[in-house]
Amino acid sequence: MTTSHVHDLLALHAGGDLDPTDTVRVEAHLATCPDCLALAQAYAESRAWLAAAPDAPFSGGERRAIREAVMDQVRREARPRVQARIPAWKPLLGVAAALMLLLAGLRAWQPTTSPAPSLAQVSKPQTASHDTPVADASRPAQATSGAATSARTGPTDCPDTAPTMAQERPTRTVQMARLQAPADSASDGPQPLAAPTRIEIQTDNPNIRIIWLAQATPEPTGTPSPKE
Amino acid sequence: MTQGTDSAVMAGEGMTLVPAGTGPFDHLVRRIRSGEVEAFDQLMILVERPVLAVAWRILGDRDLARDAAQETFLRIFRSLDSFRLGEPFLPWVHRIAANASLDQARRRGPAPVALDDLGDLPQDTHGCAEALAVQDQQRELVRRALSTLTPAERSALVLRDLEGLDTEEVARALGVKAVTVRSQVSSARSKVQAFCRRMLTLGGPR
């Protein structure tokens, strides 16, 4: 180990910043080298002199003035901080409002199931128009997408699954019964129609209209005819 | 420095220590975070000594040190949300103080004072409190000794030898590696030792 090498380490050795291996080597060298030992002592004294120096030259009044100036600024900055801490629930309000709007929109978009088709759609027998697709009410059929009732589907349901005609039939059956019944509500049951009746039901899909042609036939009198 | 030092500061200020497992400053930080802004004044009282000491020793100028100390306190207030409760508070304060002081030093752009500039020391000790005069002399000598260092050397030496932080804490405070801190401290101690040797040679007071 050369003297210059030890000199380079003495500054760190003075503060105990050497690793254990270097510390042992330096101390072993100091035991045999008076020049390096004198320099090590000089380092220790200068560190002690620096550490013994008094603190910053600020009186108690000056320190108080510094704190008051800081507190003035802190109070100004804290007003938005206090206000910002209050509305922890504001984001929740926004979420709740968005949910309510979404629900309202869904309800407005969903067709109602209770009202019956307009009586204007009920007409005398007419030639079926061929320009609009007519659904055969005698057979259950798959409704196309966008069919009337989508109220059965909720927000979490698959939006692409449209209710089938079989699902719609109960609603339409109720409507048909209502149409068949005359204004006299005292009747026990639906009265047979006197003439063929064409009943048209327009679904939500503008391209789909259900047309039902119904005609009651009188009960045969006398011996019942054998069933064929 | 660890929480033990934090506890010593708290006890010295006459405040009750909080139960083990929580930082001594944590209850003040919680109160300030909850909106009790006036509690920040109590926090400043607890940390103003190291803040002012770091600022003055790095800058060597009262006015600049006062500005740096105010900036340090404001940065502490604005950064309280980022402080992890339970961690030692004073090293965090030291880091902010050192950075604020170095920013002030960069704005000023100080140049190191020549080693042989030992003239015009406060000499008149007659007719006034001798202890205060001696203190003023010592402060002035320390200021001149530190002015021989670069800002990086000065901040490393102040935190390591005067504020008592270990090498790792100094490295975190200054945002450098530990090996860099050792290099800066070694260079700083050599220059301070050379200043003292020069002072003795010129016959200045010790």
Side-chain angles (χ1 to χ4, degrees), chain A residues 27-108:
Chain A
E27 288 180 355
H29 178 78
L30 292 178
T32 61
C33 179
D35 291 338
C36 289
L37 181 61
L39 184 55
Q41 287 174 342
Y43 272 115
E45 288 172 0
S46 66
R47 285 191 74 242
W49 168 79
L50 198 64
D55 273 342
F58 292 101
S59 65
E62 288 173 313
R63 297 183 182 208
R64 196 179 311 114
I66 291 172
R67 292 200 309 272
E68 285 174 358
V70 171
M71 285 306 297
D72 285 345
Q73 180 63 25
V74 160
R75 289 186 191 105
R76 276 194 294 270
E77 293 183 9
R79 285 191 211 108
R81 173 195 283 251
V82 171
Q83 290 172 358
R85 287 187 184 279
I86 289 178
W89 43 269
K90 272 194 176 177
L92 295 177
L93 268 187
V95 170
L99 278 176
M100 288 177 63
L101 283 174
L102 179 64
L103 286 173
L106 280 175
R107 289 176 66 86

Side-chain angles (χ1 to χ4, degrees), chain B residues 84-106:
Chain B
R84 291 185 183 178
L85 295 174
E87 294 291 322
F89 191 73
L90 283 180
W92 186 70
V93 169
H94 277 119
R95 178 172 64 196
I96 296 175
N99 287 324
S101 302
L102 288 173
D103 289 344
Q104 192 75 265
R106 281 187 213 104

